[in-house]
Amino acid sequence: MSTNEFIRWNSGLQTPVLFNHHEPYEVNSTTIQRVDLNPISSTPRALLNQERVLILSPLRDAAPYLVKYFDLLTDLTYPHDLIDLAFLVGDSTDDTLAVLASELNRIQQHPDAKIPFHSVTIVEKNFGDGGYSQDVESRHGFAAQGPRRKLMGRARNYLLSASLKPEHSWVYWRDVDIVDSPKKIIEDFVAHDRDILVPNIWFHRYRDGVDIEGRFDYNSWVESDKGRRLASSLDKDIVLAEGYKEYDTGREYMARMGDWRNNKDEEINLDGIGGVNILVKADVHRSGINFPCYPFENQAETEGFAKMAKRAGYQVVGLPNYVVWHIDTEEKPGNAA
């Protein structure tokens, strides 16, 4: 190699120089733990990225529904080794805890390696009656809604704080009394890449052999000018509840929209949401957006959660044509019916 060739060959190379170089500091104490949340993300390619999902279900007097609950859960097509389950059992008067333990043992000991979930956590916490000892009609009456929704918010927050781990990308809230839902619901939902996403909640009720396809959850709604004026006139400690003559909000309910026969990916923006089925990016919860157990903009629990999330700039989205089927509680309809 000639001198000129050598100069040309080295023209793009520079000798690295280190200033004030420090050797790595080694920590060997077993009492010090490092948590790096930077690699944890929630993306529409959750399956490809092996993103972990936490399924949360608060339980109270849920024994009659648990077998069906786990039948539907085991049918989920998202890999079970990427799913963690957590339950809060509180104030039950039936055999909820024993049935839960039995069903979990059946699932986690299943010979098919694709059936057991990555982990299970059971949290026990009693909060008091909160009106749950009343009959169905009284429990869902207007007077019971404020205390009941506040209690439910507390239960969700306790379950969330005890169960959310650094490795979780998604939090999937799922009520125990769902009777039918798509097997690919997790994949379907993460594909939307929304901060908070809820489906429509209906129920089956047959009259003369025909399913009336009843609309169940009126807590998912779009705010109205009438609702805003009403809220601005109320004491800050009042909790609004939908479907009651005491407060007519004029809101537009997702339950009245949509049809499961239409495009299931159609989206609408929501201002309030129900709690039957919610998918949340885990960082929304990590940022402090939880379920108010107090009036937040005159809403509590899941509706307060939606209000809080929107105040913080997060997306709250509903799928009017994507239907998850709830049990028929045979409640009397209110304003929203």
Side-chain angles (χ1 to χ4, degrees):
M1 180 182 296
S2 67
T3 300
N4 288 338
E5 289 173 334
F6 180 79
I7 291 172
R8 285 196 299 271
W9 185 74
N10 280 281
S11 62
L13 302 178
Q14 293 180 334
T15 301
V17 178
L18 295 178
F19 294 95
N20 301 317
H21 175 62
H22 296 283
E23 292 291 332
Y25 187 82
E26 186 173 339
V27 177
N28 290 314
S29 173
T30 58
T31 63
I32 300 175
Q33 182 182 13
R34 173 178 178 264
V35 175
D36 185 5
L37 291 174
N38 290 301
I40 306 301
S41 59
S42 309
T43 72
R45 307 180 74 184
L47 184 55
L48 181 64
N49 296 332
Q50 299 286 280
E51 294 171 13
R52 293 275 293 278
V53 177
L54 172 64
I55 298 181
L56 298 179
S57 298
L59 304 177
R60 178 170 183 158
D61 292 335
Y65 313 115
L66 283 167
V67 173
K68 182 63 175 180
Y69 171 91
F70 280 106
D71 286 345
L72 293 174
L73 223 58
T74 54
D75 283 341
L76 293 175
T77 57
Y78 198 82
H80 292 191
D81 62 340
L82 296 176
I83 297 176
D84 299 287
L85 307 180
F87 306 89
L88 185 141
V89 180
D91 300 289
S92 285
T93 59
D94 68 0
D95 231 5
T96 293
L97 186 59
V99 177
L100 174 64
S102 174
E103 285 299 297
L104 284 171
N105 189 57
R106 175 176 68 87
I107 298 301
Q108 295 303 96
Q109 299 293 330
H110 200 283
D112 184 345
K114 293 182 179 180
I115 297 300
F117 294 91
H118 183 268
S119 73
V120 179
T121 300
I122 300 175
V123 179
E124 293 185 67
K125 174 63 179 176
N126 295 325
F127 297 97
D129 180 75
Y132 276 85
S133 61
Q134 300 170 330
D135 57 43
V136 170
E137 183 175 347
S138 299
R139 186 165 67 244
H140 290 275
F142 178 77
Q145 292 313 297
R148 181 170 174 264
R149 298 300 295 278
K150 292 175 185 178
L151 185 148
M152 292 166 66
R154 290 182 66 199
R156 289 185 185 274
N157 291 335
Y158 271 71
L159 177 55
L160 177 65
S161 64
S163 308
L164 183 63
K165 300 296 189 294
E167 59 268 22
H168 292 135
S169 294
W170 300 90
V171 178
Y172 177 22
W173 293 91
R174 186 179 174 102
D175 275 6
V176 69
D177 43 7
I178 291 172
V179 296
D180 195 15
S181 63
K183 298 178 181 180
K184 294 183 64 179
I185 191 167
I186 295 178
E187 294 95 322
D188 290 344
F189 275 26
V190 299
H192 283 263
D193 195 25
R194 300 303 183 189
D195 298 322
I196 301 169
L197 189 70
V198 296
N200 220 337
I201 309 297
W202 294 6
F203 62 87
H204 296 294
R205 183 184 293 174
Y206 293 89
R207 291 177 181 164
D208 300 322
V210 178
D211 187 357
I212 68 168
E213 296 184 351
R215 312 304 173 97
F216 181 80
D217 194 344
Y218 288 91
N219 294 326
S220 294
W221 39 260
V222 180
E223 188 59 279
S224 66
D225 289 339
K226 185 176 184 179
R228 293 185 187 94
R229 288 193 299 270
L230 174 63
S232 67
S233 70
L234 295 176
D235 184 276
K236 61 182 177 61
D237 291 328
I238 290 177
V239 175
L240 286 172
E242 296 307 307
Y244 297 90
K245 64 180 182 299
E246 285 81 357
Y247 293 108
D248 182 4
T249 61
R251 290 163 172 167
E252 189 176 3
Y253 305 107
M254 187 168 72
R256 285 180 169 173
M257 309 176 197
D259 190 320
W260 60 266
R261 301 161 188 83
N262 296 337
N263 176 18
K264 65 181 177 61
D265 293 322
E266 179 184 338
E267 297 181 351
I268 61 170
N269 292 317
L270 295 173
D271 296 294
I273 61 170
V276 175
N277 198 109
I278 315 170
L279 187 74
V280 185
K281 290 186 176 181
D283 279 355
V284 174
H285 283 316
R286 291 191 180 101
S287 297
I289 312 301
N290 56 17
F291 300 90
C293 55
Y294 53 89
F296 180 87
E297 297 184 5
N298 295 111
Q299 305 291 165
E301 204 226 348
T302 57
E303 291 160 294
F305 169 64
K307 287 274 190 177
M308 187 182 294
K310 296 203 73 169
R311 174 82 75 87
Y314 291 108
Q315 307 157 315
V316 180
V317 174
L319 304 178
N321 299 323
Y322 198 110
V323 175
V324 167
W325 299 90
H326 193 272
I327 63 166
D328 179 5
T329 59
E330 298 183 354
E331 298 168 21
K332 290 185 177 180
N335 291 345

